[in-house]
Amino acid sequence: MFSLFFKSRRWALWAWGGFALLVAGLVLQTRLNVAFNEWYRQFYDVVQNVQKHTLDDFWASIWLFLKLAMPYVILGTLIDFFASHWIFRWREALTFGYLERWRACKTDVEGSSQRIQEDMYRFAKIVEGLGVQVLKALMLLAAFVPLLWSLSKNVQIPLLKDIPGSLVWVALVVSVGGLVVSWFVGIKLPTLEYDIQKKEAAFRKELVFAEDNKRDFALPETISSLFLGVRLSCYRLFLHYGYFQIWLISFSQFMVIVPFMIMGSGLFTGAITLGVMVQVSNAFDQVRSSFSVFIDNWKTITEFRSIFKRLKEFEENLERH
């Protein structure tokens, strides 16, 4: 799945050059995120201390926000546009690489059409979305961990104020803890996704055969039996996703108030300003969400693991035959 794109001479320019261009774009986007974080501190300090500032200061802050926001929007659009093209080239490399090996097989490999068309498409879409998010998370960590570390000196809670970089450690601990809990809560999801795809493939195969021969295929009893398997597998998946969503949403909502719980006492004692508190909240959210990128995309990762497993089996079958 990776060697057909990244180790191919034909695709080397797209694979490595495109990857480098994506990283460069994400670096620029991260620099703008850091600038936004500094803007939060300045703007909310102006709002908190209106007696020390003029209306011109307020509008200057608004203008600065617009100067940051417009490049951010344009850059984000260009990154998404280029990422879509880059991932499509990856899909093209995989598709024709697998086709060449599949045509050389002397025996039939079950589910070949689904693996080559549908799974390749879904693989590309997930890599496009999740892959960019992971790269972005790494960039944000590199930029915001030092910033959040320095902001930790403003923590006033007795248990945390003497720990260097306490806010970073809190973000790391809650993210790793959330990932561990998510792993156990959602441990059955990849298997259920894989099972559904097998049932869907059998159902679709029967319908494809019926396109040329309705007399012998897609008979009512056969279709009912195959669709019953799809229904039961989907119902099981819905149930397990239900309690997983309860955990995931609860975790996300609790993380919103964590930085305010840590910094709130400092605001009321005058140790920090409102601008610093909002800056800490934003920086903490950037670091925590970067640490938690796998938790926030657990459903997508579950689907990706299922697709990866099926494509891996397909590769092994091609090698075997």
Side-chain angles (χ1 to χ4, degrees), residues 5-6 13-26 82 86 131 135:
F5 189 52
F6 289 96
L13 181 60
W14 264 105
W16 295 106
F19 180 76
L21 194 58
L22 275 176
V23 170
L26 290 170
F82 181 77
W86 184 68
L135 284 175

Side-chain angles (χ1 to χ4, degrees), residues 75-118:
L75 182 60
T77 303
L78 290 175
I79 289 173
D80 289 343
F81 177 79
F82 181 77
S84 298
H85 279 270
W86 184 68
I87 292 298
F88 190 86
R89 263 64 174 193
W90 191 347
R91 177 191 175 189
E92 185 177 350
L94 289 176
T95 299
F96 286 96
Y98 280 154
L99 274 172
E100 183 178 350
R101 295 162 66 182
W102 175 61
R103 291 176 66 86
C105 289
K106 296 182 179 180
T107 58
D108 181 47
V109 178
E110 192 275 330
S112 299
S113 59
Q114 185 184 10
R115 302 290 87 83
I116 293 174
Q117 190 274 321
E118 182 180 339

Side-chain angles (χ1 to χ4, degrees), residues 113-214:
S113 59
Q114 185 184 10
R115 302 290 87 83
I116 293 174
Q117 190 274 321
E118 182 180 339
D119 283 345
M120 292 293 182
Y121 170 75
R122 296 171 69 189
F123 175 86
K125 293 299 291 183
I126 291 176
V127 171
E128 177 186 344
L130 185 61
V132 172
Q133 287 190 55
V134 171
L135 284 175
K136 185 176 180 179
L138 293 174
M139 303 295 173
L140 290 173
L141 284 174
F144 279 94
V145 165
L147 176 61
L148 192 61
W149 191 283
S150 65
L151 290 171
S152 297
K153 67 179 181 294
N154 297 305
V155 174
Q156 300 299 311
I157 295 179
L159 291 176
L160 297 176
K161 67 179 183 179
D162 296 327
I163 301 176
S166 57
L167 288 169
V168 176
W169 293 116
V170 170
L172 176 61
V173 169
V174 297
S175 300
V176 172
L179 181 61
V180 172
V181 174
S182 297
W183 180 272
F184 284 103
V185 174
I187 196 169
K188 293 184 178 181
L189 295 178
T191 302
L192 292 172
E193 284 276 6
Y194 178 76
D195 183 61
I196 284 178
Q197 288 304 313
K198 291 184 66 175
K199 299 290 177 57
E200 292 279 11
F203 180 63
R204 180 170 50 251
K205 187 175 182 179
E206 185 73 14
L207 294 175
V208 170
F209 285 156
E211 289 180 355
D212 298 321
N213 184 2
K214 292 185 176 66

